[in-house]
Amino acid sequence: MISDIVVNIFDDLTPLATMIILAIGALSFPAVQMFIKKHTVTWAYATILVVLAFAVNLVLLIDGIECEYLGVCLSPYSTFMALLFLTVLFLVVLVSNSSTETTKNHSGAYYSLLFGATIGMVFVTTSTDLLTIFVGVELTSISSYALVALKRKDGRASEAAVKYAIIGGMSTALTLYGISMVYGVAGSTELAEIAQYVTTMTDTPWILAIGVLCMLAGYGFKIAAVPFHMWAPDVYEGAATPVSIFLATASKKMGLGVFIQVFLVMFIGTTVTGTIFGETFQYIFAIIAAVTMTVGNVVAIAQTNIKRMLAYSSIAQAGYILIMMAVMTPNAEAAGLFHMFTHVFMKGGAFLIVGALICAGVGEKISDYKGLAKRAPVLAFAMMLFLFSLAGIPPLAGFTSKFFLFASAVGVPGEASGAWVWLAFVAILNSAISLYYYARVVKAMYIEKGECTDKIKIPATFMVAIAICVVFVIVLGVYPDLVYGFAETAVGLI
């Protein structure tokens, strides 16, 4: 097998293979930029390293390699999530050199921050301890704050970065406080040991309940779950579009990955106990999911800026994915992972088009998209596909992943009961609401007439990235087994 070559190269460090490749890049980009002084060379070097890391991780995923080194655990789950993060990183790096929003004077620092943030994400998925998960989350968070601020000479970016850092600091404090509470009661920060403690306890210590709730609030910020969502629209609007893509599709998935690792590991074996870690906590997740998707969709209707609209749409998508945390069954978990993967191409593709149009001088308001179908028919068609997929229109990927996710809430024989039918109904209703504001953009592109009729030309790298997203939005809609099988294998090993 090809994986034998990878294992022979990295030996005991195989669980760190992807992170080692990314770390080499993160540490060397400033030097490459300083000595060569050509940002295109730095971009090419970054692209090569991303492709290499992606290939190594894909080989490990396909062959189902499992191993451990100093507490870093490589499993089908960790390689599946790493594949998601590396896909986003590849799309972002691919278009960064052509984007007019990203800095060229500090491209070495820019790519170092991108790679550093991705290392944190991958590290989180391989961790089995609350403290190491926290370290990975903070590495990603601190890098993200700096990435938002790198959009120089833009007051919106500076304001967004300050808000992001302040609210992020508050979430960090809550998370640490929660971890200390859990450690004080369970006597360990290892997830397996905490789960064992929860399984054997006869009642629920209030300190443990407060600790878990603080962790829920702290990590809720990372996924922009209501009421911890207010940073997202400002940050997505103020940041450079490639950074917005990275935050909306990768950073948020890291937060959801933390939810899966921390809360599912601690709770899924204790659902029958009837404590706060059982049915009560499932209802807490269900309420957060319902409120998050509703607020995201309703507020998105009033937005006139396309990036803010996509930000609120992203909040709503987080609400859909949180259904798996309420249902807590293998079907729901696999469906949640699959929807996270399809969301990369749906939301990432939409943001790519926004970034491409900004490069061409088109504004960020929805009204600026009037007549786009005549000026850039390919872009308009791709945007329509991405928006309809986000709304759940068949046979696109968004419909298939939502179908699996909502069906898991309805229940299947021998697994889930019908206790979450109401949550599926709320999700379906919200999908219908979302179609309104997505259709408004389509209407502007295809029906309304714009003042300018000049043809739009965009960089080739943007077209390649958009084409990749279009292909996967269509393919995953009609052939979900391409990814869904890996998601099913992953949830069995969380």
Side-chain angles (χ1 to χ4, degrees), residues 133-460:
I133 289 174
F134 174 80
V135 170
V137 169
E138 288 309 301
L139 174 58
T140 299
S141 298
I142 294 171
S143 300
S144 299
Y145 306 152
L147 281 169
V148 174
L150 271 182
K151 189 179 179 183
R152 300 174 64 84
K153 299 179 181 179
D154 190 327
R156 294 183 306 170
S158 300
E159 180 184 350
V162 171
K163 289 180 180 178
Y164 195 15
I166 291 174
I167 300 175
M170 294 173 61
S171 76
T172 298
L174 275 173
T175 303
L176 274 177
Y177 185 70
I179 291 174
S180 67
M181 289 284 213
V182 173
Y183 174 75
V185 175
S188 175
T189 54
E190 280 285 339
L191 293 177
E193 294 182 16
I194 296 172
Q196 180 63 31
Y197 169 79
V198 173
T199 303
T200 57
M201 69 186 185
T202 56
D203 58 358
T204 304
W206 63 270
I207 295 179
L208 182 61
I210 291 175
V212 173
L213 287 173
C214 285
M215 290 170 59
L216 176 60
Y219 289 129
F221 161 83
K222 305 302 179 185
I223 66 171
V226 175
F228 316 107
H229 67 290
M230 295 306 295
W231 62 272
D234 289 337
V235 171
Y236 292 3
E237 180 186 8
T241 304
V243 176
S244 297
I245 297 170
F246 188 76
L247 297 177
T249 56
S251 182
K252 180 169 287 190
K253 303 305 179 297
M254 177 202 66
L256 289 162
V258 172
F259 267 58
I260 293 171
Q261 287 172 261
V262 174
F263 298 108
L264 279 181
V265 167
M266 285 199 291
F267 304 150
I268 197 166
T270 61
T271 300
V272 296
T273 64
T275 66
I276 191 172
F277 296 95
E279 295 180 0
T280 302
F281 226 95
Q282 285 181 275
Y283 276 101
I284 290 175
F285 280 116
I287 292 170
I288 293 174
V291 173
T292 298
M293 66 178 79
T294 302
V295 170
N297 282 318
V298 171
V299 179
I301 294 174
Q303 303 306 310
T304 57
N305 183 288
I306 189 78
K307 292 176 78 173
R308 291 186 72 87
M309 186 206 77
L310 290 173
Y312 279 106
S313 164
S314 187
I315 292 169
Q317 296 292 329
Y320 298 140
I321 298 171
L322 283 176
I323 290 175
M324 70 176 175
M325 299 301 300
V327 180
M328 287 189 182
T329 62
N331 269 352
E333 296 157 32
L337 289 179
F338 181 58
H339 190 68
M340 288 163 62
F341 209 93
T342 60
H343 185 256
V344 166
F345 300 107
M346 299 184 293
K347 186 57 59 69
F351 267 115
L352 281 169
I353 291 176
V354 173
L357 292 175
I358 290 174
C359 291
V362 178
E364 297 178 14
K365 293 186 178 296
I366 295 176
S367 58
D368 295 326
Y369 285 51
K370 291 181 179 179
L372 184 65
K374 292 185 177 179
R375 301 180 64 194
V378 174
L379 288 186
F381 179 73
M383 179 63 103
M384 182 177 66
L385 282 181
F386 297 141
L387 295 179
F388 282 170
S389 183
L390 285 166
I393 301 298
L396 302 173
F399 167 78
T400 306
S401 58
K402 279 186 178 182
F403 176 81
F404 291 157
L405 193 55
F406 299 170
S408 71
V410 174
V412 296
E415 190 178 82
S417 66
W420 306 110
V421 172
W422 67 270
L423 186 57
F425 176 78
V426 172
I428 293 170
L429 183 61
N430 271 280
S431 291
I433 293 173
S434 69
L435 184 59
Y436 171 78
Y437 59 82
Y438 292 138
R440 190 175 53 164
V441 179
V442 176
K443 176 188 175 185
M445 294 189 299
Y446 280 91
I447 298 177
E448 298 178 4
K449 295 182 179 180
E451 296 179 1
C452 182
T453 57
D454 296 338
K455 294 292 183 179
I456 293 175
K457 294 182 179 180
I458 64 170

Side-chain angles (χ1 to χ4, degrees), residues 109 130 248:
L130 288 177

